[in-house]
Amino acid sequence: TVFARMAPFQKAELVEALQEMGCSAMMCGDGANDCAALRGAHVGVALSEADAAVAAPFTCRTVDIRCVPAIVKEGRASLSTAFSMFKYMALYSFIQFTSALVLYWFDSNLGDFQYLYIDLPVILTIVVLMGRTASAEQLVSARPNGSLVSLEVGVSLAGHILAQTLFQAVALLVAQSQPWFVPVEPDPEEKNIVCMENSIIFLVSLYLYVGCAIAFNHASPFRAPLYRNVPLTVAIVLLLGHFVYLTAAPDSFEEDFLELVPFSGTDPRVFILLFGLSHLVVAYLYEELCSSVPMRRFIRRVRRKSGPKNAYKRIAAGIVGEAWPRASLRLAEREAS
């Protein structure tokens, strides 16, 4: 539909009408006589550098609409990245909560510097760099999920929460059956931090944090692959390298600083490495499954969506097969009579 020779207030009314129908309205103009429409649209793009163009959130230096696909790609990438960061922060809290809960069972807990190491060098670094992921090169027809309270987010989070709980609990249960395991002898007067239960849970949980970060930054239709985010990739490699160093052969200073038990032999070190790296693979594959086409189709069936929610989709469905605009239909009826 083409609207021509419109007054400034009519442009604003058209944008409002589209929004009332449930459309996401984008307005492009020079900012001269369409300031109200640029301000009222969901996305306003001023195709001018004049002073009047400040009414629009976005300004394009070229006087054409080539910037529109770029804005859509960046917006979808930002939304997808924000959802990934939300899921990562939620899962980080659950991982740390599970670690503390398991250790409480043995009258132990994570040490102060262990909490500090997790929160600053690990979590803060990953979260800050996750936001640097670029948008995908191609603009796809699909749209990212627009609600945090949705089945897609719930299925993803529930699976990762279950996986991290099982990995930490099973790691400690299996370790207790090994000949090299020395159980803690709780002292009611002490915090009982320097023990084998604490060291195993702490080291395994480190790999869980990085595994979830890799899983939530996998390539999607809206964001570039993880390796394109060079700072985040370098940070993950360095963190994994330091985790392996802490597991395999830490020096005495780091053992004392992080209150770790010095393991004797290679068996406990290999055991922790296997559990940590196995979770990385499981988390990545599960997130790939959650974003796959079969999973999306399954979620649609579970929702049992009877019809479109937005008014413009219902209108479009109602005019399928009809002559449009309706003036053509009335003209055909008059000619037939």
Side-chain angles (χ1 to χ4, degrees):
T1 303
V2 178
F3 299 91
R5 303 187 64 82
M6 299 179 68
F9 74 91
Q10 291 175 322
K11 297 178 183 180
E13 288 177 351
L14 176 59
V15 169
E16 293 175 2
L18 291 172
Q19 292 174 337
E20 289 175 358
M21 293 171 59
C23 295
S24 297
M26 173 183 283
M27 176 66 188
C28 297
D30 57 6
N33 63 348
D34 45 21
C35 293
L38 288 172
R39 287 196 302 266
H42 291 111
V43 181
V45 183
L47 305 178
S48 171
E49 294 187 24
D51 293 339
V54 298
F58 299 95
T59 302
C60 182
R61 295 182 179 180
T62 58
V63 191
D64 54 45
I65 58 173
R66 285 179 294 177
C67 62
V68 171
I71 293 175
V72 175
K73 287 192 295 184
E74 291 296 333
R76 290 180 173 181
S78 299
L79 184 61
S80 179
T81 300
F83 274 53
S84 296
M85 294 176 68
F86 166 78
K87 291 195 293 184
Y88 182 73
M89 292 304 297
L91 197 60
Y92 144 68
S93 301
F94 273 103
I95 293 174
Q96 200 166 80
F97 170 74
T98 304
S99 300
L101 196 63
V102 171
L103 290 176
Y104 282 159
W105 186 264
F106 299 95
D107 293 331
S108 181
N109 194 7
L110 293 172
D112 294 337
F113 288 107
Q114 290 177 343
Y115 278 116
L116 190 66
Y117 179 79
I118 293 172
D119 291 342
L120 293 182
V122 181
I123 302 301
L124 183 62
T125 302
I126 290 175
V127 170
V128 169
L129 297 180
M130 278 178 69
R132 297 179 60 88
T133 303
S135 61
E137 295 181 358
Q138 298 295 328
L139 182 61
V140 297
S141 59
R143 295 179 301 172
N145 184 25
S147 174
L148 287 175
V149 187
S150 63
L151 197 56
E152 291 89 344
V153 176
V155 169
S156 176
L157 272 179
H160 285 292
I161 290 173
L162 179 62
Q164 65 86 17
T165 303
L166 289 176
F167 267 89
Q168 293 193 70
V170 172
L172 192 54
L173 289 175
V174 174
Q176 289 176 326
S177 63
Q178 302 301 313
W180 44 262
F181 184 83
V182 180
V184 63
E185 297 180 359
D187 185 352
E189 303 296 330
E190 300 292 337
K191 295 182 179 180
N192 304 311
I193 294 175
V194 184
C195 61
M196 197 159 285
E197 289 86 351
N198 170 282
S199 298
I200 292 174
I201 290 295
F202 172 71
L203 292 173
V204 169
S205 68
L206 293 180
Y207 294 96
L208 304 188
Y209 295 121
V210 173
C212 293
I214 294 174
F216 290 143
N217 282 274
H218 73 293
S220 71
F222 316 109
R223 294 187 296 162
L226 174 61
Y227 65 86
R228 295 282 298 276
N229 188 344
V230 177
L232 179 60
T233 304
V234 172
I236 287 176
V237 171
L238 292 177
L239 287 173
L240 280 176
H242 192 241
F243 297 165
V244 172
Y245 171 72
L246 288 177
T247 306
D251 56 33
S252 57
F253 171 78
E254 288 187 292
E255 282 184 345
D256 295 339
F257 182 76
L258 295 175
E259 299 177 281
L260 298 175
V261 170
F263 295 112
S264 58
T266 59
D267 289 345
R269 307 178 193 277
V270 173
F271 173 84
I272 294 172
L273 280 173
L274 286 177
F275 263 87
L277 298 179
S278 298
H279 173 268
L280 191 153
V281 176
V282 170
Y284 182 84
L285 293 179
Y286 179 74
E287 192 63 23
E288 283 286 335
L289 174 64
C290 290
S291 59
S292 63
V293 175
M295 178 61 75
R296 291 178 183 174
R297 291 174 180 171
F298 172 75
I299 290 176
R300 288 196 192 101
R301 291 197 190 98
V302 173
R303 282 177 176 171
R304 296 180 180 178
K305 190 175 180 181
S306 57
K309 296 180 180 178
N310 296 324
Y312 74 93
K313 291 183 179 180
R314 294 196 297 269
I315 294 172
I319 63 176
V320 173
E322 297 183 5
W324 191 258
R326 291 188 178 273
S328 302
L329 179 59
R330 290 195 294 271
L331 179 61
E333 290 175 349
R334 285 198 300 268
E335 291 177 350
S337 61

